[in-house]
Amino acid sequence: MTETRVVQDLVVEGDEVDRMVSGLDAAEWALPTPAPGWTIAHQVAHLSATFRMAALAVVDPERFTAMTSQLSPNFNANVTHAMAEFLAEPPDVLLSRWRAERARAEQALAAVPPDRVVPWLVRPLPAAVLASAGLMELFGHGQDIADALGVRREHTDRVGHLVAFAVRTWDFGYQARDLPTPEVELRFELTAPSGTLWTFGPADGENRITGAAVDFCLLVTRRRHRDDLDLTATGVEADRWLDIAQAYRGPAGPGRRPGQFATPVR
């Protein structure tokens, strides 16, 4: 993973989300998404706030650190507060602000030297990893928007950045539930949209996750239930992990129900 490539893919992924919302009327911006209580406007407001934070972390680390030190211990309250000013805008202004926040974050991340880390909510990260986290946000919230609009997305091997990020943060699901992280190494064998096999972890690992990379991304962003995905667990801990996997910090939330969506995303 290089900074240049991942930021380029971040731009393309953002453009795809932008295309889904750019022609919506006011009623469509108010459509409910699968995230309880969130409309399409909420999804874009959240992305706007997240990208604004990423740009701030890069261009003014001290201000970012000071801001995050004032955050409430209530994760959901922080999310609601960050979205509020964006949600107060009419759809055309929200769309314009989303584009501006995206552009600032993309440009800032692209300018970070490879040997520099950027402060973030949990720990400092290389710019490429922070950009991968941005791709995770675009994938998950973009899926909510697509589900609300009945749009079928076309995925490419860009999801590889999210796959690698989710493998890196494989323990987040345990932390979100105050569970001890087991002393195991999971083996991941995931097939990319192009057909390439991506592998992570020990080749002889007893606990294995195999299947489609896009489905893996839907699992770790909690946009589909494991029962509706082409993923197989071998081993007790791998099977448990499929129930709790998530690639983001904060409350797990209810996730999605088995059979909630009539058609698969692939």
Side-chain angles (χ1 to χ4, degrees):
M1 176 194 319
T2 66
E3 283 79 359
T4 300
R5 177 60 183 273
V6 69
V7 174
Q8 289 173 344
D9 286 347
L10 179 70
V11 172
V12 175
E13 193 76 12
D15 287 344
E16 292 205 351
V17 173
D18 190 283
R19 280 192 287 273
M20 284 195 288
V21 300
S22 61
L24 301 183
D25 59 28
E28 289 169 319
W29 278 91
L31 286 173
T33 67
W38 281 35
T39 65
I40 289 177
H42 284 82
Q43 302 286 348
V44 176
H46 175 70
L47 289 171
S48 301
T50 301
F51 276 71
R52 180 171 64 180
M53 288 180 61
L56 180 64
V58 174
V59 303
D60 196 341
E62 291 185 2
R63 186 178 165 204
F64 174 85
T65 301
M67 182 270 292
T68 54
S69 70
Q70 301 300 313
L71 291 176
S72 162
N74 186 320
F75 180 88
N76 290 331
N78 292 328
V79 171
T80 300
H81 176 74
M83 292 194 300
E85 68 174 89
F86 296 101
L87 282 173
E89 305 286 11
D92 59 332
V93 177
L94 173 55
L95 179 59
S96 177
R97 292 192 65 184
W98 143 244
R99 289 170 173 167
E101 300 297 351
R102 266 189 63 208
R104 275 191 285 269
E106 292 159 357
Q107 292 163 12
L109 288 166
V112 178
D115 60 348
R116 178 185 156 199
V117 294
V118 177
W120 196 237
L121 300 174
V122 180
R123 54 183 175 266
L125 300 173
V129 177
L130 183 53
S132 295
L135 275 157
M136 182 264 295
E137 294 283 344
L138 289 167
F139 182 97
H141 295 286
Q143 187 61 51
D144 287 338
I145 293 168
D147 288 333
L149 296 172
V151 172
R152 186 183 179 91
R153 305 173 79 191
E154 296 295 329
H155 293 288
T156 72
D157 283 10
R158 286 195 307 276
V159 299
H161 301 298
L162 171 49
V163 169
F165 182 78
V167 170
R168 182 188 182 102
T169 60
W170 74 281
D171 56 341
F172 278 7
Y174 299 97
Q175 296 174 16
R177 295 162 178 80
D178 294 323
L179 297 172
T181 301
E183 294 185 4
V184 300
E185 288 189 75
L186 300 181
R187 170 71 172 180
F188 299 91
E189 297 179 354
L190 304 164
T191 304
S194 66
T196 301
L197 182 65
W198 292 328
T199 61
F200 304 85
D204 60 350
E206 295 182 0
N207 285 276
R208 312 169 77 85
I209 308 292
T210 60
V214 170
D215 285 17
F216 180 80
C217 293
L218 290 164
L219 177 82
V220 298
T221 55
R222 297 182 60 77
R223 264 52 188 189
R224 291 294 186 273
H225 192 276
R226 64 174 288 184
D227 291 355
D228 297 331
L229 298 173
D230 177 19
L231 295 170
T232 300
T234 302
V236 173
E237 196 56 48
D239 184 69
R240 180 191 187 204
W241 188 84
L242 285 187
D243 286 330
I244 65 172
Q246 65 183 72
Y248 55 91
R249 293 298 295 266
R256 305 292 180 260
R257 303 183 307 276
Q260 182 174 350
F261 302 91
T263 48
V265 297
R266 283 171 284 105

